[in-house]
Amino acid sequence: AQTVTQSQPEMSVQEAETVTLSCTYDTSENNYYLFWYKQPPSRQMILVIRQEAYKQQNATENRFSVNFQKAAKSFSLKISDSQLGDTAMYFCAFMRLMNYGGSQGNLIFGKGTKLSVKP
Amino acid sequence: EPEVTQTPSHQVTQMGQEVILRCVPISNHLYFYWYRQILGQKVEFLVSFYNNEISEKSEIFDDQFSVERPDGSNFTLKIRSTKLEDSAMYFCASRPDSNQPQHFGDGTRLSIL
């Protein structure tokens, strides 16, 4: 069974600075996706960024980037130039791929990291 | 941008009653999901649905739960004989195909009294 671990329950960062959220996972699968979702106080679940395990290049979306270390099973999220609107719970999630390239698609989530951006 | 919509946003129900949570996935999506998030805890997978049948379910999804796509538009989660521990946020999600990420609705907060 796959597991996702986020070892930082809470973090804080000053506005405009950079912060890195950690995520490790355990799987025997070789093909999978990894995601970071953001959950602001409104409780929506918003996709921040995703990474395909077969891609060596780290994914980037504007101020958000990941450091994907497949051998170490590590998937950290870096937020640059932090903004007040980045304050939220951040969940790391794993999705396995079936052999034919498709997926049942159910996500396995970590417990989340509560990020507070301070003015 | 199309969205997954969930109704109601907040449902209060007496213990032992049945409750139906409703979701309208994005129209061209083929895969549908329900997740649960007990307050302060992580999001947990309940069930996935594809081609008008359940494709996978977790151990949480026991006989108390059922899902249905009655009219090609709505995707519902029914919880029979609700218990206090069913109080949680319930998220519906959908995606267009097997290689795309899931889009989540805003959730339904279920409170069992």
Side-chain angles (χ1 to χ4, degrees):
Chain A
Q2 291 82 20
T3 58
V4 177
T5 302
Q6 294 179 249
S7 58
Q8 305 151 314
E10 291 192 44
M11 294 190 72
S12 64
V13 63
Q14 290 296 128
E15 196 175 6
E17 294 189 348
T18 295
V19 65
T20 299
L21 309 183
S22 300
C23 173
T24 59
Y25 58 95
D26 188 24
T27 183
S28 58
E29 304 285 339
N30 193 46
N31 295 317
Y32 50 87
Y33 285 95
L34 294 163
F35 303 89
W36 280 97
Y37 280 88
K38 168 185 176 181
Q39 188 180 44
S42 62
R43 303 293 299 272
Q44 294 174 287
M45 291 290 288
I46 303 166
L47 178 66
V48 174
I49 199 166
R50 73 167 176 169
Q51 174 80 42
E52 293 90 337
Y54 62 85
K55 289 187 178 178
Q56 292 187 334
Q57 186 173 7
N58 289 323
T60 299
E61 287 286 341
N62 300 314
R63 298 183 294 107
F64 299 87
S65 61
V66 297
N67 182 6
F68 174 49
Q69 301 290 328
K70 190 173 183 179
K73 295 179 181 165
S74 170
F75 182 62
S76 61
L77 174 69
K78 185 171 82 171
I79 306 174
S80 304
D81 186 26
S82 298
Q83 300 176 0
L84 297 178
D86 295 334
T87 293
M89 281 290 285
Y90 286 81
F91 291 98
C92 179
F94 172 98
M95 182 180 82
R96 66 190 176 109
L97 288 177
M98 304 299 284
N99 289 334
Y100 53 81
S103 171
Q104 300 294 353
N106 47 293
L107 295 167
I108 299 167
F109 287 87
K111 290 186 176 181
T113 295
K114 184 177 181 180
L115 177 67
S116 300
V117 180
K118 301 186 184 303
Chain B
E1 186 175 330
E3 293 181 342
V4 176
T5 56
Q6 290 186 244
T7 55
S9 57
H10 191 191
Q11 173 80 46
V12 181
T13 300
Q14 290 289 329
M15 186 172 60
Q17 297 295 307
E18 175 182 285
V19 65
I20 297 176
L21 309 183
R22 303 182 190 281
C23 170
V24 179
I26 296 172
S27 63
N28 64 339
H29 286 194
L30 302 177
Y31 297 80
F32 314 111
Y33 306 85
W34 282 102
Y35 292 85
R36 178 181 82 176
Q37 186 183 30
I38 295 171
L39 185 64
Q41 299 188 22
K42 66 178 179 180
V43 179
E44 301 172 291
F45 166 72
L46 292 177
V47 66
S48 59
F49 194 86
Y50 171 72
N51 201 26
N52 286 319
E53 61 182 18
I54 291 174
S55 49
E56 195 164 353
K57 59 184 181 180
S58 72
E59 59 189 22
I60 301 170
F61 194 88
D62 59 21
D63 292 344
Q64 185 192 6
F65 295 88
S66 62
V67 290
E68 198 175 37
R69 188 160 161 80
D71 55 11
S73 174
N74 290 283
F75 179 51
T76 61
L77 173 69
K78 182 189 290 185
I79 310 174
R80 287 179 283 274
S81 188
T82 49
K83 300 175 284 197
L84 294 176
E85 53 264 39
D86 294 327
S87 294
M89 196 77 163
Y90 288 81
F91 289 100
C92 173
S94 69
R95 63 194 182 116
D97 61 48
S98 59
N99 290 322
Q100 297 297 318
Q102 295 176 32
H103 297 254
F104 282 78
D106 288 349
T108 292
R109 183 187 303 275
L110 177 63
S111 299
I112 306 300
L113 304 179

